[in-house]
């Protein structure tokens, strides 16, 4: 049973460019959340996708957008990259039952913006 | 006040000892609580979750929750050098996002 997968593992971009990160959830999971983790910090919630809709969003600008596909996989897009966008981007998948949900993380994509 | 607070450490314990990691949270409506372990350069790995007041044990790990005091802890018995990592506390307040602390770095000394 495959866990959460993410691609690519590493990425180097320059300021102003755009980037797309991809995530496939764990088998049986229908919900995907994206987090940004800067060095020495805890993960910060970007947004969550469920039934192909953005269900909740954290405190991130509109430069951060996403999409969820019918097979539950998801993409995170970041436009007009800033140096401060350099971080580990984590995808977490989950399935909510009885109002409770447990999130499992993928290996992450490390983004460096030069 | 931060929503989820953890002592950044490092917390150093000798091999075989009990490591005690603590976390406080500000939202009294928080419903579920999670401990993740993160090795350097890797992604967080779920260790335990707890929803009800009291203790929950899983192998060498025990999670403790006190909602009245807004406090959750993780005890690691018989600590091993392989337990050396950053431990992240996460809280879910009934919404769809987890709020993470900054993590406590644990060092188990051989």
């Amino acid at each position: 049973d495959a866990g959460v997968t993410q691609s690519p593992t590493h990425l180097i971009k320059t300021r102003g460019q755009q980037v797309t990160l991809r995530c496939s959830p764990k088998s049986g999971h229908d919900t995907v959340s994206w987090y940004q983790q800067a060095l020495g910090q805890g993960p910060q919630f970007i947004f969550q996708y469920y039934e192909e809709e953005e269900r909740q969003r954290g405190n991130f600008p509109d430069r951060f957008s996403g999409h969820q596909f019918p097979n539950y996989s998801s993409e995170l897009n970041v436009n007009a990259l800033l140096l401060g966008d350099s971080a580990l981007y984590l995808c977490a998948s989950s399935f909510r039952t009885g109002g409770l949900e447990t999130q499992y993380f993928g290996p992450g994509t490390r983004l460096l913006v030069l | 006040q931060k929503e989820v607070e953890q002592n950044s450490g490092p917390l150093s314990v000798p091999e075989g000892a009990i490591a005690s990691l603590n976390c406080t949270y500000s939202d009294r409506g928080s419903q579920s609580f999670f401990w993740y372990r993160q090795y350097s350069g890797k992604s967080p790995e779920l260790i335990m979750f707890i929803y009800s007041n009291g203790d929950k044990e899983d192998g060498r790990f025990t999670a403790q929750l006190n909602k009245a005091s807004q406090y959750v802890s993780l005890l690691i018995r018989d600590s091993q050098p392989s337990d050396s990592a950053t431990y992240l506390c996460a809280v879910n307040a009934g919404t769809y996002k987890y709020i993470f602390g900054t993590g406590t770095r644990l060092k188990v000394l051989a």
Side-chain angles (χ1 to χ4, degrees):
Chain A
D1 178 22
V4 183
T5 61
Q6 291 185 245
S7 63
T9 56
H10 294 82
L11 207 49
I12 300 176
K13 292 287 188 179
T14 57
R15 279 181 300 174
Q17 286 189 311
Q18 178 265 341
V19 67
T20 297
L21 310 181
R22 296 176 177 82
C23 171
S24 290
K26 186 178 170 66
S27 178
H29 287 186
D30 58 4
T31 301
V32 172
S33 303
W34 287 93
Y35 291 82
Q36 179 195 67
Q37 186 177 25
L39 204 59
Q41 301 297 314
Q44 298 292 312
F45 177 79
I46 302 174
F47 41 53
Q48 184 180 87
Y49 276 84
Y50 172 71
E51 292 188 342
E52 303 180 50
E53 297 285 333
E54 182 184 291
R55 179 154 70 175
Q56 187 172 3
R57 188 179 185 90
N59 189 25
F60 279 80
D62 291 345
R63 297 187 297 110
F64 291 78
S65 63
H67 189 78
Q68 186 179 33
F69 300 94
N71 66 353
Y72 308 122
S73 67
S74 178
E75 289 181 348
L76 165 65
N77 301 291
V78 187
N79 294 322
L81 285 167
L82 303 174
L83 296 180
D85 294 332
S86 296
L88 178 66
Y89 287 85
L90 295 162
C91 166
S93 78
S94 57
F95 177 77
R96 183 169 284 253
T97 178
L100 298 173
E101 169 187 343
T102 302
Q103 296 185 357
Y104 296 86
F105 285 92
T109 294
R110 194 165 296 278
L111 172 65
L112 178 61
V113 182
L114 301 176
Chain B
Q1 181 189 5
K2 291 184 180 178
E3 294 178 272
V4 178
E5 292 208 51
Q6 297 181 257
N7 188 319
S8 61
L11 172 66
S12 295
V13 299
E15 184 175 358
I18 295 175
S20 178
L21 305 162
N22 305 314
C23 172
T24 59
Y25 59 94
S26 60
D27 188 338
R28 285 198 169 272
S30 299
Q31 299 178 355
S32 48
F33 308 84
F34 305 84
W35 284 99
Y36 288 84
R37 177 176 62 197
Q38 187 171 28
Y39 292 112
S40 181
K42 301 295 185 181
S43 66
E45 172 193 8
L46 180 68
I47 298 176
M48 291 193 70
F49 56 86
I50 186 167
Y51 305 132
S52 304
N53 274 330
D55 295 0
K56 178 181 178 183
E57 186 175 318
D58 184 0
R60 296 187 297 115
F61 299 97
T62 298
Q64 300 176 316
L65 175 60
N66 184 326
K67 289 187 177 180
S69 299
Q70 296 174 242
Y71 176 95
V72 57
S73 65
L74 178 70
L75 302 179
I76 307 175
R77 288 182 299 281
D78 187 24
S79 295
Q80 300 298 309
S82 59
D83 294 326
S84 298
T86 296
Y87 289 79
L88 296 164
C89 170
V91 173
N92 182 287
T95 62
Y96 302 111
K97 69 176 182 179
Y98 286 17
I99 301 171
F100 283 82
T102 55
T104 297
R105 191 156 62 96
L106 173 67
K107 297 175 72 173
V108 181
L109 308 173

